[in-house]
Amino acid sequence: MDIAVGRSIQILAFSGSSFHGKSICKTCVALKGTNWPARTGHSLRQCRSVLRAQQRPTWLPGLDPPPYLDGTLAGDFGFDPLGLGEDPESLRWYVQAELVHARFAMAAVAGILYTDLLRVTGMSDLPVWYEAGATKFDFASTTTLLIIQLLLMGFVETKRYMDFLNPGSQAKPGSFFGLEAALEGLEPGYPGGPLLNPLGIARDIENAHDWKLKEIKNGRLAMVAMLGIFVQASVTHVGPIDNLVEHLSNPWHKTIIQTISASCS
């Protein structure tokens, strides 16, 4: 009898999409009050696993995510093949590092495409993006610009790191020349205030799960796009808009396959 019931529950849990999470949950609750032996307990564990799998998508369908990735982080789809996030403190740092890299990538992709479009259309005499660093400016020398960049970015990154170590410490009065209200921190990695959040989006940052998810998804896409732009520039020695124009001029013969073949020959 127990084996038959256990198998029937397995059929219920693993059958097609006609059974929803609520039905499975009710079945699990009903089984929880019984006194059946260990085989039923095994079915209960399988039932709970199926319910969790239905409620939370993973990067590979059917894969059990590691226990330290419980779905509470924005964009957590259980992807950590190297186990880098096993240590909680390391996981906190990796989350912030990914967020910063994602934002830099989004800004870089937008800047590269915009300036490349101006250059290709002849609206501005701008260098291609990978030669921009060698451009000489009349208003300041390269050494001066480098020092200013190091000072400004060093200051900002130091403040960010201090806020990571002690959340909220950089919003205390006197910590930033009296401008703390204009840079009011929401939580580590999510600064606010009228300067960094002029539209007042996601003021309740603890419950802004949708905004966080959208940002990290777009950031990851931008990081992949930057990798593509790097490889594209290395192979073709032109900007992304030039590559797009060349492809559109002859879509069937100007593709990535022909480009790679020509570079290898």
Side-chain angles (χ1 to χ4, degrees):
M1 176 66 180
D2 294 338
I3 296 176
V5 172
R7 287 181 178 175
S8 66
I9 295 305
Q10 291 179 10
I11 294 174
L12 173 64
F14 292 103
S15 58
S17 58
S18 60
F19 295 102
H20 300 285
K22 291 183 179 179
S23 300
I24 296 175
C25 185
K26 290 179 180 179
T27 306
C28 292
V29 172
L31 283 174
K32 193 173 182 180
T34 62
N35 295 319
W36 294 327
R39 189 168 183 83
T40 303
H42 180 66
S43 300
L44 276 173
R45 287 193 296 274
Q46 289 179 326
C47 189
R48 294 192 187 99
S49 299
V50 172
L51 182 58
R52 285 196 298 269
Q54 286 190 353
Q55 292 176 340
R56 179 190 173 191
T58 56
W59 68 278
L60 184 63
L63 180 70
D64 291 331
Y68 52 86
L69 296 179
D70 55 3
T72 57
L73 297 173
D76 174 13
F77 296 98
F79 181 78
D80 188 16
L82 300 180
L84 300 177
E86 292 182 359
D87 179 48
E89 287 301 315
S90 298
L91 181 60
R92 285 183 62 238
W93 176 252
Y94 286 134
V95 167
Q96 296 299 316
E98 182 187 32
L99 194 57
V100 171
H101 281 80
R103 290 168 179 170
F104 269 114
M106 287 189 285
V109 170
I112 289 173
L113 294 179
Y114 178 70
T115 56
D116 213 41
L117 183 62
L118 294 179
R119 182 184 60 82
V120 171
T121 56
M123 298 177 63
S124 180
D125 186 20
L126 293 171
V128 68
W129 69 270
Y130 51 81
E131 295 179 353
T135 304
K136 303 293 184 181
F137 297 97
D138 297 332
F139 60 88
S141 66
T142 303
T143 303
T144 301
L145 293 175
L146 177 61
I147 294 175
I148 292 174
Q149 180 178 357
L150 290 175
L151 290 175
L152 292 178
M153 293 196 67
F155 175 76
V156 172
E157 287 297 298
T158 300
K159 297 280 287 184
R160 185 177 68 85
Y161 183 66
M162 293 172 67
D163 190 63
F164 169 78
L165 295 178
N166 187 10
S169 62
Q170 303 309 298
K172 295 180 179 179
S175 62
F176 189 59
F177 311 114
L179 301 175
E180 299 80 18
L183 301 168
E184 181 183 3
L186 303 177
E187 69 177 46
Y190 295 95
L195 289 180
L196 299 179
N197 189 16
L199 300 180
I201 298 175
R203 290 183 177 178
D204 184 12
I205 196 64
E206 292 183 357
N207 298 315
H209 305 296
D210 290 340
W211 285 105
K212 291 180 179 179
L213 181 60
K214 291 176 182 178
E215 181 185 33
I216 198 62
K217 280 186 174 181
N218 283 279
R220 289 168 178 171
L221 180 62
M223 288 189 282
V224 174
M226 276 304 306
L227 178 61
I229 291 175
F230 287 151
V231 174
Q232 198 174 43
S234 176
V235 174
T236 64
H237 306 292
V238 294
I241 301 297
D242 285 312
N243 288 133
L244 178 61
V245 171
E246 184 178 5
H247 168 66
L248 294 177
S249 65
N250 193 355
W252 298 107
H253 298 90
K254 299 289 186 179
T255 66
I256 186 174
I257 298 176
Q258 282 81 10
T259 301
I260 295 176
S261 299
S263 64
C264 293
S265 60

Coordinates of all heavy atoms in Angstrom, one line a residue, residues 8 39 61 72 81 89 93-94 136 178-179 193-195 204 231 241 249-250:
S8 N 2.2 6.8 -6.6 CA 1.1 7.7 -7.1 C 1.5 9.2 -6.9 O 1.2 10.0 -7.7 CB -0.2 7.4 -6.5 OG -0.1 7.7 -5.1
R39 N 9.6 5.6 2.9 CA 9.4 5.8 1.4 C 8.6 7.0 1.1 O 8.8 7.7 0.1 CB 8.9 4.5 0.8 CG 8.9 4.6 -0.7 CD 8.6 3.2 -1.3 NE 8.7 3.2 -2.7 CZ 9.8 3.1 -3.4 NH1 11.0 3.0 -2.8 NH2 9.8 3.1 -4.7
P61 N 17.8 24.2 -17.0 CA 16.6 23.6 -16.5 C 16.8 22.2 -15.9 O 17.5 21.4 -16.5 CB 15.7 23.5 -17.8 CG 16.2 24.6 -18.6 CD 17.6 24.7 -18.4
T72 N 17.5 34.7 -3.4 CA 17.2 36.0 -2.8 C 18.0 37.2 -3.5 O 17.6 38.3 -3.5 CB 17.6 36.1 -1.3 OG1 18.9 35.7 -1.1 CG2 16.7 35.1 -0.6
P81 N 29.5 27.6 -11.3 CA 30.1 26.3 -11.5 C 31.4 26.2 -10.8 O 31.9 25.1 -10.5 CB 30.3 26.3 -13.1 CG 30.3 27.7 -13.5 CD 29.3 28.4 -12.6
E89 N 31.1 36.1 2.8 CA 31.7 37.4 2.6 C 32.2 37.6 1.1 O 32.1 38.7 0.6 CB 32.9 37.5 3.6 CG 32.5 37.8 5.0 CD 31.6 39.0 5.2 OE1 32.0 40.1 4.6 OE2 30.6 39.0 5.8
W93 N 31.0 40.4 -1.8 CA 31.9 41.2 -2.7 C 31.7 40.9 -4.1 O 31.7 41.9 -5.0 CB 33.4 40.9 -2.3 CG 34.4 41.6 -3.1 CD1 35.2 41.0 -4.1 CD2 34.6 43.0 -3.1 NE1 35.9 42.0 -4.7 CE2 35.6 43.2 -4.1 CE3 34.1 44.1 -2.4 CZ2 36.1 44.5 -4.4 CZ3 34.6 45.3 -2.7 CH2 35.6 45.5 -3.7
Y94 N 31.5 39.7 -4.5 CA 31.3 39.3 -5.9 C 30.0 40.0 -6.5 O 29.9 40.4 -7.6 CB 31.2 37.8 -6.1 CG 32.6 37.2 -6.0 CD1 32.7 36.0 -5.3 CD2 33.7 37.7 -6.7 CE1 34.0 35.4 -5.2 CE2 34.9 37.1 -6.6 CZ 35.1 35.9 -5.8 OH 36.3 35.4 -5.7
K136 N 45.3 63.2 -28.4 CA 45.9 64.3 -27.7 C 44.9 65.5 -27.6 O 44.3 65.8 -28.7 CB 47.2 64.8 -28.4 CG 48.2 63.7 -28.5 CD 48.8 63.3 -27.2 CE 49.9 62.3 -27.4 NZ 50.5 61.8 -26.1
G178 N 29.4 68.0 3.4 CA 28.0 68.5 3.6 C 27.1 68.1 2.5 O 25.9 68.6 2.5
L179 N 27.5 67.3 1.5 CA 26.6 67.0 0.4 C 26.0 65.6 0.5 O 25.6 65.0 -0.5 CB 27.4 67.0 -0.9 CG 28.0 68.4 -1.3 CD1 28.9 68.3 -2.5 CD2 27.0 69.4 -1.5
G193 N 19.6 59.7 -3.8 CA 19.7 61.2 -3.8 C 19.4 61.8 -5.1 O 19.3 61.2 -6.1
P194 N 19.2 63.2 -5.1 CA 18.8 63.9 -6.3 C 19.9 63.8 -7.4 O 19.6 64.0 -8.6 CB 18.6 65.3 -5.9 CG 19.3 65.4 -4.6 CD 19.2 64.1 -3.9
L195 N 21.2 63.6 -7.0 CA 22.3 63.5 -8.0 C 22.3 62.2 -8.7 O 22.5 62.1 -10.0 CB 23.6 63.9 -7.4 CG 23.8 65.3 -6.9 CD1 25.2 65.5 -6.3 CD2 23.7 66.3 -8.1
D204 N 12.3 52.6 -2.4 CA 12.2 51.5 -1.5 C 13.1 50.4 -2.0 O 12.6 49.4 -2.6 CB 10.8 51.1 -1.2 CG 10.7 50.0 -0.2 OD1 11.7 49.7 0.5 OD2 9.6 49.4 -0.1
V231 N 36.4 41.5 -29.4 CA 36.8 40.5 -30.4 C 36.6 41.0 -31.8 O 37.4 40.8 -32.7 CB 35.9 39.2 -30.2 CG1 36.2 38.2 -31.3 CG2 36.2 38.6 -28.8
I241 N 29.8 50.0 -35.7 CA 28.9 50.5 -36.7 C 29.4 50.2 -38.1 O 28.7 49.9 -39.0 CB 28.7 52.0 -36.5 CG1 28.2 52.3 -35.1 CG2 27.8 52.6 -37.6 CD1 26.8 51.7 -34.8
S249 N 25.2 45.6 -46.1 CA 25.4 45.8 -47.5 C 25.3 44.5 -48.3 O 25.0 44.5 -49.5 CB 26.8 46.5 -47.7 OG 27.8 45.6 -47.3
N250 N 25.7 43.4 -47.6 CA 25.6 42.1 -48.3 C 25.4 41.1 -47.2 O 26.3 40.3 -46.8 CB 26.9 41.8 -49.1 CG 26.7 40.6 -50.0 OD1 25.7 40.0 -50.0 ND2 27.7 40.4 -50.8

